[in-house]
Amino acid sequence: QVQLAESGGGLVQAGGSLKLSCAASGRAFSGRTMAWFRQAPGKEREFVTGIRRTDSNTYYAASVNGRFTISGDNVEDTVYLQMNSLKPEDTAVYFCAAGDVPGARFPRHYTLWGQGTQVTVSS
């Protein structure tokens, strides 16, 4: 089975930057869409950004648009999340996910998930 593994989380001050990576392992990977979600304690998992592997089209939640950038490397089966101008409200566990619904923004449309990486933004 293909597995996803996030890395790159950590502690950063408000206004700082972090870059997350999500690597797919296994002999085959065919997810049409890759996405990042995040979940803070006591909150529902929310969509952050997604990318279509066929044409690299990207889409973002309004809360991160202009600050975060998603990109992918199809050859290495890796997706990245560059986070700039971080705010305390960005603090959450960040998950990468894979699915076959283009442009999906809801967790139910993703079938493969990583374990998550913690991002903490201090004031």
Side-chain angles (χ1 to χ4, degrees):
Q1 180 183 0
V2 175
Q3 294 183 318
L4 303 178
E6 305 94 337
S7 62
L11 175 64
V12 64
Q13 291 184 321
S17 299
L18 282 175
K19 187 174 184 178
L20 307 183
S21 298
C22 175
S25 62
R27 288 185 174 273
F29 180 69
S30 60
R32 182 173 296 175
T33 303
M34 299 289 296
W36 288 95
F37 288 79
R38 66 187 182 186
Q39 188 167 23
K43 303 294 183 180
E44 294 185 350
R45 189 166 298 186
E46 67 171 338
F47 169 81
V48 177
T49 179
I51 182 170
R52 297 203 300 242
R53 297 183 70 219
T54 54
D55 59 5
S56 296
N57 184 61
T58 61
Y59 50 105
Y60 298 85
S63 60
V64 305
N65 192 33
R67 299 188 298 122
F68 292 9
T69 303
I70 188 172
S71 61
D73 183 339
N74 289 336
V75 174
E76 300 294 331
D77 288 332
T78 303
V79 64
Y80 304 95
L81 179 63
Q82 177 66 51
M83 304 183 292
N84 299 323
S85 301
L86 283 162
K87 305 174 181 179
E89 50 263 45
D90 294 319
T91 295
V93 176
Y94 282 70
F95 299 88
C96 63
D100 292 320
V101 179
R105 294 174 178 262
F106 302 98
R108 66 177 182 270
H109 291 129
Y110 293 87
T111 58
L112 184 65
W113 295 82
Q115 294 299 305
T117 185
Q118 178 70 46
V119 172
T120 302
V121 183
S122 62
S123 301

